[in-house]
C-alpha cells in the first residue's frame, strides 16, 4: 500500500502483470484526481526487472549444469580411452596379425614334422651351445639361416619403435623385442595385433633409445655388417652346395625345431614388408609415399637382412633432420 498525499494506491502484483487500483480522497487544492504516472511506470519497470533477473538466473544455472555435464562426459571419455590399452579390431591388419600367429602356433604344435624334443633337435641345440661359431654336425646352410634370428629384435626395433603410440597404458615394446630374438613371431605377433594403432605421422618427441640407437646410422650400418657375418657362417657349405642344400631341406623336413624356425623366420619376413612400408611413409616426401609398398616388398628378397639394409639407407625422420640442420 502506497499513500501519497490524499491518494491511496493499492498495488497488486500477479505473475506477469502489475495491477494498480486507486482510491482517492477529496482534495480541495487539486484540480482533479490523477494517478501519478511515474509511480505506475516505476512499479512496472521494477516488476519487469525482477522477472528478467529470474530468467537470467535460471539460464545461468542451466548453462552451468550443461557445462558440468559436458566436462563430466569429456572426463569419462578420456578415462575410457586411457583405460583402453589395445586397438585390436579397429583395423583389418590386427586380425591379419592375430590369424598369422594362430597359424604359426597350429603349425608348431600340430602340423610340423618330427616330434617335440626329439633327439636330433636336442643334439642340434647342444652343438650350437658347445660351439656357437662353428657347431659340429650342423648343416652349414641351415646354420646360416638360423643365425639371422639375432637380427630380428634389431630390425623390428628400427621399424616399429619410431611409430609406437605415445599414449598411456600401452603395451611396452621392449619386452617383446627382447624375446623376439628367441621366439620371434610367437611373441611379436600378439604385440602387433594388440598394440595401439601406430602413428602415421612423424613423432614429435622420440624416446632416447629411438633417437640414439634405432635412428643412429652408425648402428644401422653395423647391423648390416653383423647380418652379413651371420650369413657368412654358411660359407663352409659352398664347398659342396648341392649336397649342403639337400641336407638342409632334409633337416627342415624331418626336424620340428628346424621346420618351426623356418616358418617363424618366414612369418617375420612377411610382416616386416608391411612394417617397412609404414615406416617409410612417415619419413619420405608426400609425393614418394606410393613407393612404400614396393620398398617394403623388396626387403623380402633378403630375409631379415633386407630390412637391415633398408634401415641403413632410409631417410631420417623429419624431426631428426630438422634438429641436425
Amino acid at each position: 500500500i502506497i499513500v501519497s498525499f490524499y491518494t491511496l494506491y493499492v498495488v497488486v502484483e500477479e505473475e506477469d502483470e502489475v495491477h494498480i487500483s486507486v482510491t482517492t480522497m477529496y482534495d480541495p487544492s487539486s484540480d482533479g484526481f490523477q494517478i501519478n504516472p511515474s509511480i505506475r511506470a516505476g512499479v512496472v519497470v521494477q516488476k519487469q526487472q525482477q522477472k528478467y533477473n529470474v530468467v537470467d538466473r535460471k539460464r545461468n544455472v542451466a548453462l552451468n549444469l550443461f557445462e558440468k555435464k559436458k566436462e563430466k562426459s569429456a572426463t569419462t571419455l578420456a578415462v575410457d580411452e586411457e583405460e583402453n590399452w589395445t586397438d585390436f579390431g579397429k583395423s583389418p591388419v590386427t586380425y591379419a596379425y592375430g590369424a598369422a600367429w594362430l597359424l604359426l602356433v597350429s603349425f608348431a604344435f600340430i602340423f610340423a614334422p618330427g616330434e617335440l624334443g626329439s633327439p636330433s633337435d636336442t643334439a642340434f641345440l647342444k652343438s650350437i651351445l658347445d660351439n656357437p661359431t662353428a657347431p659340429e654336425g650342423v648343416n652349414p646352410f641351415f646354420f646360416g639361416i638360423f643365425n639371422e634370428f639375432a637380427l630380428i629384435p634389431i630390425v623390428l626395433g628400427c621399424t616399429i619403435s619410431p611409430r609406437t603410440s605415445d599414449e598411456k597404458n600401452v603395451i611396452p615394446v621392449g619386452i617383446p623385442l627382447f624375446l623376439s630374438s628367441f621366439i620371434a613371431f610367437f611373441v611379436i605377433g600378439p604385440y602387433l595385433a594388440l598394440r595401439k594403432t601406430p602413428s602415421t605421422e612423424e613423432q614429435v618427441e622420440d624416446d632416447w633409445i629411438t633417437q640414439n640407437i634405432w635412428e643412429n646410422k652408425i648402428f644401422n650400418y653395423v647391423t648390416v655388417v653383423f647380418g652379413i657375418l651371420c650369413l657368412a657362417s654358411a660359407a663352409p657349405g659352398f664347398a659342396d652346395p648341392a649336397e649342403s642344400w639337400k641336407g638342409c631341406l632334409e633337416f627342415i623336413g624331418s626336424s620340428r625345431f628346424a621346420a618351426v624356425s623356418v616358418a617363424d623366420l618366414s612369418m617375420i619376413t612377411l610382416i616386416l614388408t608391411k612394417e617397412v612400408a609404414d615406416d617409410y611413409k612417415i619419413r619420405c616426401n608426400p609425393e614418394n609415399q606410393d613407393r612404400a609398398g614396393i620398398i617394403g616388398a623388396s626387403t623380402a628378397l633378403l630375409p631379415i637382412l633386407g630390412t637391415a639394409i633398408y634401415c641403413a639407407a632410409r631417410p631420417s625422420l623429419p624431426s631428426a633432420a630438422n634438429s641436425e640442420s
Side-chain angles (χ1 to χ4, degrees), residues 155-156 159 268-277 296 299 304 307:
V155 296
L156 284 173
T159 54
I268 288 290
T269 300
L270 288 177
I271 66 102
L272 278 174
T273 61
K274 172 70 169 59
E275 297 300 319
V276 165
T299 61
I304 312 301
T307 303

Side-chain angles (χ1 to χ4, degrees), residues 24-299:
T24 59
M25 303 161 87
Y26 178 73
D27 183 2
S29 63
S30 174
D31 294 334
F33 305 136
Q34 298 179 354
I35 297 175
N36 188 341
S38 63
I39 296 177
R40 182 184 180 93
V43 174
V44 173
V45 169
Q46 182 180 6
K47 177 62 178 179
Q48 291 176 343
Q49 186 65 40
Q50 290 175 352
K51 179 181 178 182
Y52 293 152
N53 288 341
V54 171
V55 173
D56 289 342
R57 286 197 298 271
K58 289 182 178 179
R59 183 183 62 184
N60 292 336
V61 171
L63 287 175
N64 289 336
L65 290 175
F66 175 75
E67 291 296 334
K68 289 181 179 179
K69 187 176 292 186
K70 184 178 179 182
E71 291 177 0
K72 184 178 179 180
S73 300
T75 303
T76 303
L77 180 61
V79 170
D80 290 342
E81 290 181 349
E82 184 174 334
E83 291 178 352
N84 188 13
W85 53 271
T86 177
D87 281 347
F88 180 76
K90 293 185 177 181
S91 169
V93 177
T94 60
Y95 291 111
Y97 284 143
W101 181 79
L102 289 175
L103 183 63
L104 181 62
V105 171
S106 300
F107 176 77
F109 291 97
I110 302 175
F111 303 106
E115 298 177 358
L116 286 172
S118 64
S120 60
D121 292 345
T122 304
F124 170 78
L125 294 175
K126 186 176 184 302
S127 298
I128 292 179
L129 293 175
D130 292 341
N131 189 359
T133 57
E136 297 182 1
V138 175
N139 182 276
F141 280 2
F142 180 80
F143 183 61
I145 296 172
F146 183 75
N147 282 339
E148 291 298 294
F149 272 86
L151 292 179
I152 289 177
I154 300 175
V155 296
L156 284 173
C158 289
T159 54
I160 291 175
S161 292
R163 296 176 293 113
T164 300
S165 174
D166 56 358
E167 299 180 23
K168 297 180 180 179
N169 295 335
V170 299
I171 304 175
V173 68
I175 295 176
L177 285 180
F178 173 75
L179 295 177
S180 66
S181 180
F182 308 98
I183 50 178
F185 197 73
F186 284 98
V187 65
I188 207 66
Y191 169 79
L192 294 176
L194 298 175
R195 66 180 173 177
K196 298 290 285 185
T197 303
S199 174
T200 56
E201 299 177 356
E202 59 166 301
Q203 296 289 308
V204 178
E205 292 185 3
D206 292 318
D207 55 61
W208 186 91
I209 295 179
T210 298
Q211 290 180 347
N212 296 279
I213 297 180
W214 308 134
E215 292 291 326
N216 188 305
K217 289 300 180 183
I218 297 177
F219 178 80
N220 296 152
Y221 282 109
V222 169
T223 301
V224 173
V225 174
F226 176 63
I228 294 174
L229 292 176
C230 288
L231 286 178
S233 60
F238 286 97
D240 189 354
E243 187 65 26
S244 297
W245 181 246
K246 180 181 177 181
C248 179
L249 294 179
E250 290 177 354
F251 182 53
I252 295 173
S254 60
S255 168
R256 175 162 295 199
F257 179 84
V260 173
S261 297
V262 171
D264 198 0
L265 197 67
S266 301
M267 200 72 75
I268 288 290
T269 300
L270 288 177
I271 66 102
L272 278 174
T273 61
K274 172 70 169 59
E275 297 300 319
V276 165
D278 291 344
D279 177 81
Y280 182 73
K281 290 178 182 178
I282 68 170
R283 58 182 76 239
C284 69
N285 294 327
E287 61 271 14
N288 294 331
Q289 287 195 356
D290 56 345
R291 303 177 183 176
I294 298 175
I295 292 176
S298 66
T299 61

